[in-house]
Amino acid sequence: MSGPDGWWGRKSTPAKVETYTRWSFHFFALIELAAAGAPVLGWAGQVGPELAVLLILMVAAHSAVCAVTASRALDWLRGRRAQPLRLLWVLGAFTAVVSATAVAVARLGPAGEGTDGAAGGVFGLVLVFGAGNVALGIRSRRRVFTAVAGFAAVAGLVCLPLGMPGPAALGVTGMVLVSGGFLAFASIVSAWLLGVVYELDEARETRARLAVAEERLRFGRDLHDVMGRNLAVIALKSELAVQLAQRERPEAVAQMVEVQRLAHEAQREVREVVRGYREADLGSELAGAQGVLTAAGIDCTVTGPVTGLPAPVQSALGWVVREAATNVLRHGDARRCAVKLRVREGRVVLTVENDGVPQAGGPGRGSGLVGLRERLAEIGGTLRAGPAGDGLFLLTAEVPLPAHSGEAPPAASAAAHAPLPLSEVTP
């Protein structure tokens, strides 16, 4: 599906949150323009067309500067550009100019309730939104409070010289301090939440890399345990054989025969280690996939029989589960994943369905899926992967049971459609 849905669906979760946050601040700019411009248009007859146009243009310009400042500040918070200090000073100075102009219009313009209402709305909203947007570009909370207090002080200082009574000026100062502080707090929290989302996404990627590194360490440890002992014995017996040969002792031949036997034994053990590393156990992979996806906030369910399947079938399907879980974590924005295992008509069918996938996505053609198709083809199996509509992605693997095994065991057939708790997934 093309259009906005496809554009939105192709974004990762952090990118979606960032887009939502960025456009929320742009929407705040439109709110400022609408909230401050509506009274001016409503009282345009009393304010006068020239002053009304001036106020609206100044509010529109201030809203645009606020939107640009928010966008640049978010880029700075994400580490994509330097802190927009010059733009923050421009926004502060322009806010002071617009607020002073609004008060001047109220005091020096045409007398009437309409003039005071229109100018007063522009005055208060400009200061409040200016304080909120400036706070987004400041990292220290103390400096944020200082900036908001400065906007409130400017409000009082601008009001007094233009003839506003002291209590009224104090009230305006308090209004700007409270409203501007609330908007500044909302801006800081929004930026903090965006940072938390990115950190969680990085943690998920780190967890996936650590899992790979842990598996590599396990393989290296097993290989060391197997080869270390054998190589040490081979080295000792080779030295003994050299010494016996130098003395022309017939026992040297027996020692070299033993070295040859140990070398063949070491080769066999290495092959077993590598075979164990390459083969995936279906029960372990299902349990691991459910645990990892659940930890990532994805509701993962596993149903179907696990025991009673031939070793080659379990190994092949274990690799399918491993690759499918990796794809769910790395691609799309899944909230739910269902893994189903069924035995029917002499074939084992494994399906992995997850949501959060854009409908515009094409069929699965990643290198991992290509490798799975090749692995399944060796035992007569097939693999299909692609969008299933409504934002769903479906991966289906079918593997035939060996001819000598016949149909599935009765226990497996009876449990084919029964939910399998995580505790019952056995390696």
Side-chain angles (χ1 to χ4, degrees):
M1 181 177 180
S2 59
D5 291 340
W7 165 78
W8 180 260
R10 287 191 296 270
K11 288 181 174 291
S12 63
T13 298
K16 290 178 180 178
V17 176
E18 180 178 351
T19 302
Y20 169 79
T21 304
R22 190 178 298 273
W23 281 102
S24 295
F25 285 106
H26 293 169
F27 186 66
F28 285 161
L30 295 178
I31 292 177
E32 177 190 3
L33 177 60
V40 175
L41 294 177
W43 297 100
Q46 294 187 22
V47 176
E50 294 82 4
L51 293 178
V53 171
L54 174 63
L55 290 175
I56 290 178
L57 289 178
M58 295 190 75
V59 171
H62 186 269
S63 301
V65 175
C66 285
V68 174
T69 303
S71 180
R72 298 289 177 84
L74 286 176
D75 288 340
W76 165 64
L77 291 173
R78 295 303 312 142
R80 297 169 186 161
R81 64 168 65 241
Q83 186 178 11
L85 293 175
R86 183 178 301 178
L87 190 57
L88 294 177
W89 282 108
V90 169
L91 176 58
F94 191 49
T95 301
V97 170
V98 176
S99 60
T101 302
V103 174
V105 169
R107 293 304 172 191
L108 305 177
E113 180 183 356
T115 302
D116 293 340
V122 171
F123 174 79
L125 288 171
V126 163
L127 286 171
V128 170
F129 280 93
N133 283 275
V134 167
L136 191 62
I138 303 175
R139 194 180 297 277
S140 171
R141 287 179 292 181
R142 180 178 300 178
R143 292 182 179 179
V144 170
F145 178 78
T146 302
V148 174
F151 275 89
V154 168
L157 294 176
V158 170
C159 292
L160 289 176
L162 296 177
M164 181 176 290
L170 185 61
V172 170
T173 301
M175 182 273 297
V176 173
L177 181 63
V178 173
S179 302
F182 175 78
L183 190 58
F185 174 77
S187 300
I188 294 173
V189 171
S190 298
W192 174 75
L193 287 176
L194 178 61
V196 168
V197 170
Y198 271 102
E199 289 179 1
L200 289 175
D201 186 69
E202 293 174 0
R204 185 173 66 176
E205 292 292 334
T206 302
R207 181 174 54 200
R209 290 194 296 268
L210 287 177
V212 175
E214 183 179 358
E215 180 66 14
R216 290 175 177 173
L217 287 175
R218 184 194 66 80
F219 175 71
R221 183 174 60 250
D222 293 346
L223 193 61
H224 175 270
D225 294 342
V226 169
M227 294 297 296
R229 174 181 57 83
N230 289 335
L231 290 178
V233 176
I234 289 174
L236 289 175
K237 287 189 172 292
S238 298
E239 293 177 2
L240 178 60
V242 170
Q243 294 178 5
L244 292 175
Q246 290 175 347
R247 299 174 185 175
E248 298 182 355
R249 298 285 297 275
E251 292 87 348
V253 176
Q255 293 297 327
M256 290 306 300
V257 171
E258 181 65 14
V259 168
Q260 184 181 27
R261 186 191 68 78
L262 289 173
H264 287 301
E265 180 69 15
Q267 185 180 29
R268 182 187 62 80
E269 291 182 352
V270 169
R271 287 175 179 173
E272 290 180 356
V273 171
V274 173
R275 186 181 302 110
Y277 179 72
R278 289 180 177 177
E279 291 182 355
D281 181 77
L282 181 58
S284 300
E285 294 299 332
L286 286 172
Q290 188 174 27
V292 170
L293 294 178
T294 302
I298 301 173
D299 182 18
C300 180
T301 59
V302 178
T303 57
V306 177
T307 59
L309 298 177
V313 174
Q314 289 208 34
S315 177
L317 294 180
W319 277 100
V320 174
V321 172
R322 181 183 300 182
E323 180 67 22
T326 302
N327 289 338
V328 172
L329 285 174
R330 292 183 177 178
H331 309 295
D333 185 20
R335 295 179 299 275
R336 179 184 60 81
C337 179
V339 182
K340 297 180 182 179
L341 191 65
R342 303 187 302 274
V343 179
R344 59 184 185 187
E345 299 179 357
R347 300 179 69 85
V348 182
V349 181
L350 173 70
T351 60
V352 181
E353 182 182 81
N354 64 280
D355 59 0
V357 177
Q359 298 184 19
R365 298 176 182 175
S367 58
L369 296 181
V370 172
L372 287 179
R373 290 189 176 95
E374 294 175 354
R375 184 183 296 271
L376 293 178
E378 294 178 357
I379 57 175
T382 59
L383 179 73
R384 300 187 303 274
D390 296 330
L392 299 177
F393 188 90
L394 179 62
L395 182 146
T396 304
E398 295 190 18
V399 178
L401 291 171
H404 60 81
S405 65
E407 294 296 328
S413 300
H417 302 285
L420 180 66
L422 179 59
S423 60
E424 296 183 9
V425 179
T426 56

